[in-house]
Amino acid sequence: MKQDKVQSVGTRPPVKPWLKTVLEFGPLILFFTVFMLYRDQNVVLMGREYGGFVLATLAFVPVMIVALLILWRLTGRLAPMQVATLILVTVFGGLTLWLNDPRFLKIKPTIVFSLFAGILATGLFLRRNWLGAVLSEALPMTPEGWRLLTIRMALFFAAMAIGNEIVWRTMSETTWVWFETFGQPILIFVFLMGNAGLFKAHALPEVEAANPADGEG
């Protein structure tokens, strides 16, 4: 009885889906909203003039840091990409504000996607299942399934890095903000849905066998 009580105290209650969504996407929506409101204006703060993009960055960076810290407090963990994003947004968002130069924040997605593409490619070269080590509890698959998914994700992240470079270097600032806010999340969602067949084909037999048992109870 005492052990059960200790376990119940140490177990964190699940975060409500709506709250998790707000914490993950709220800061990005705030960035988009502030930019769209001030994209054609310059605002003077403490004697320095800022454009709409930098002003949106000023609103986005601290809110994103607080949101991820709240998410970490509620769940007890952050995904590797969230940790990398937190660090890089703090660094490159800070440089954007300090130097009043939007280019630093615009290259942040390129670095994030390139970093993960490089990590996954390195894991493949070393024959290490790093992706499975992080996600196997939530998505149990065979080693071959993880190998195929790692290849696809490495290529996808590399393509996303290239796509970000093309958009911010050749298109308008407004186009990049739309791409960052909505385009990238949609592409990631489409990629995950496109791999549903791989998840099913390489699911571990134990997981598939457990489903009928659950239904029999």
Side-chain angles (χ1 to χ4, degrees), residues 147-167:
R147 187 185 71 83
L148 292 174
L149 182 61
T150 299
I151 292 173
R152 295 181 185 184
M153 290 193 74
L155 293 174
F156 173 74
F157 283 139
M160 290 289 285
I162 294 171
N164 185 70
E165 285 296 294
I166 291 173
V167 171

Side-chain angles (χ1 to χ4, degrees), residues 2 4 14 16 26 29-30 45 49-50 75 77 87 100 105 126 129 147 159 165 178-179 182-183 199-200:
K2 184 177 181 180
D4 294 340
K16 295 180 180 179
I29 297 300
L30 174 65
L45 296 175
E49 188 174 4
Y50 297 98
T75 63
R77 65 181 297 274
I87 295 172
N100 202 6
L105 192 63
L126 297 176
N129 184 15
R147 187 185 71 83
E165 285 296 294
W178 277 94
F179 178 68
F182 302 106
F199 302 149
K200 183 177 180 180

Side-chain angles (χ1 to χ4, degrees), residues 82-164:
Q82 291 174 319
V83 175
T85 300
L86 176 62
I87 295 172
L88 292 174
V89 163
T90 302
V91 173
F92 287 92
L95 288 172
T96 294
L97 297 172
W98 182 33
L99 301 175
N100 202 6
D101 189 340
R103 291 177 297 177
F104 289 100
L105 192 63
K106 291 178 181 178
I107 66 173
K108 184 270 298 178
T110 301
I111 295 175
V112 171
F113 291 130
S114 298
L115 177 64
F116 279 91
I119 290 173
L120 294 176
T122 301
L124 285 170
F125 179 77
L126 297 176
R127 298 184 179 181
R128 299 294 181 88
N129 184 15
W130 291 341
L131 189 61
V134 176
L135 299 177
S136 59
E137 184 176 346
L139 186 63
M141 285 199 302
T142 63
E144 177 63 13
W146 284 115
R147 187 185 71 83
L148 292 174
L149 182 61
T150 299
I151 292 173
R152 295 181 185 184
M153 290 193 74
L155 293 174
F156 173 74
F157 283 139
M160 290 289 285
I162 294 171
N164 185 70

